[in-house]
């Protein structure tokens, strides 16, 4: 049936907020066929290199890892009728996912679609490198901004200083536990003793 009208694709923080759940969430692929490593990230500028949408470019709005697909801005548009909260119907257009293998990232140096390789810098950081130009492809700036803001300290939350304050004097606790264990070991019956018989002093 129709879904309530949700938010625009650029304003969606959670996939559940989309009014087009069936379009934005295709059937998942078998676990054995899912990609192990994703090199295309949300915010990357990509180009479609095969299929009916070949030649189009756009920013990645969303990654659907369970389906090996991407939602690219302005690519693979679909028309759907949705129901507004007031009961009125409205026709809108939105992007449907594109298969991961049909798009390539656009090289920031040459401006042409290219494949990527993973390399390590001298400081050990792992980066994406364009196979066409050999230049490092930086991570999209949009990933530095959290979709869900970090919760602030509320009136019932304690501050960081109070949370890290030492309230237990644990000096000597380990020795006390060791003494207790040794005391318990001394109460165990020795070899040759009869269980239930009290030893004479």
């Amino acid at each position: 049936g129709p879904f309530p009208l949700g938010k625009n694709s650029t304003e969606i923080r959670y996939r559940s907020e989309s009014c087009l759940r069936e379009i934005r969430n295709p059937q998942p692929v078998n676990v054995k066929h899912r990609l192990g490593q994703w090199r295309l990230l949300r915010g990357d500028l990509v180009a479609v290199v095969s299929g009916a949408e070949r030649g189009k470019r756009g920013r990645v709005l969303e990654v659907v890892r369970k389906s090996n697909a991407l939602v690219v801005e302005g690519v693979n548009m679909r028309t759907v009728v949705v129901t507004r909260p007031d009961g009125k119907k409205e026709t809108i257009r939105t992007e449907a996912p594109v298969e991961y293998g049909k798009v390539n990232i656009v090289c920031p140096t040459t401006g042409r679609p290219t494949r990527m390789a993973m390399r390590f810098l001298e400081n050990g950081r792992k980066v994406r490198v364009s196979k066409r130009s050999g230049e490092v492809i930086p991570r999209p700036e949009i990933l530095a901004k959290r979709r869900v803001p970090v919760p602030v300290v509320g009136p019932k939350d304690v501050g960081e200083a109070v949370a890290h304050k030492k309230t237990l004097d644990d000096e000597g606790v380990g020795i006390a536990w060791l003494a207790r264990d040794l005391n318990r070991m001394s109460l165990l019956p020795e070899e040759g003793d009869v269980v239930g018989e009290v030893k004479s002093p």
Side-chain angles (χ1 to χ4, degrees):
F3 296 99
L5 185 64
K7 299 182 178 180
N8 295 330
S9 59
T10 55
E11 300 176 357
I12 291 176
R13 296 190 305 172
Y14 304 100
R15 192 170 293 125
S16 59
E17 294 178 349
S18 174
C19 62
L20 307 169
R21 290 191 292 271
E22 288 187 345
I23 293 180
R24 286 291 179 88
N25 294 281
Q27 290 294 329
V29 298
N30 193 300
V31 178
K32 297 185 297 183
H33 302 298
R34 292 185 185 178
L35 298 175
Q37 183 181 29
W38 277 67
R39 297 179 180 178
L40 293 176
L41 307 174
R42 181 170 59 92
D44 281 334
L45 178 61
V46 298
V48 183
V49 295
S50 64
E53 304 285 330
R54 181 179 180 179
K56 291 187 177 181
R57 298 187 178 191
R59 295 282 177 183
V60 177
L61 299 177
E62 187 178 348
V63 293
V64 189
R65 298 179 185 273
K66 65 179 182 181
S67 303
N68 292 347
L70 303 162
V71 178
V72 183
E73 185 178 10
V75 177
N76 200 17
M77 301 296 294
R78 293 289 185 268
T79 303
V80 66
V81 179
V82 297
T83 304
R84 299 179 60 89
D86 55 7
K88 296 181 180 180
K89 296 184 180 297
E90 181 177 350
T91 302
I92 62 174
R93 289 181 61 79
T94 187
E95 301 89 351
V98 182
E99 292 182 17
Y100 184 92
K102 291 185 177 181
V103 299
N104 280 343
I105 195 167
V106 176
C107 178
T109 304
T110 63
R112 300 175 59 186
T114 178
R115 294 182 178 274
M116 291 183 291
M118 305 303 295
R119 298 288 185 268
F120 289 92
L121 300 179
E122 295 180 355
N123 57 4
R125 187 166 64 93
K126 193 175 184 180
V127 296
R128 303 179 298 172
V129 177
S130 169
K131 286 189 174 182
R132 184 178 295 274
S133 64
E135 297 293 332
V136 175
I137 301 177
R139 289 173 58 88
E141 296 180 359
I142 193 174
L143 295 181
K145 182 179 179 181
R146 296 176 58 94
R147 282 186 171 185
V148 182
V150 179
V152 298
V153 179
K156 295 185 179 180
D157 297 329
V158 298
E160 183 179 358
V162 178
H164 291 282
K165 183 179 179 181
K166 185 176 180 181
T167 58
L168 173 64
D169 185 10
D170 56 354
E171 295 183 2
V173 173
I175 299 178
W177 287 350
L178 178 61
R180 183 190 62 184
D181 294 340
L182 292 176
N183 186 29
R184 289 179 178 177
M185 293 176 61
S186 63
L187 298 178
L188 295 177
E190 298 178 358
E191 185 178 357
D193 294 343
V194 179
V195 177
E197 180 180 352
V198 180
K199 296 173 59 178
S200 57

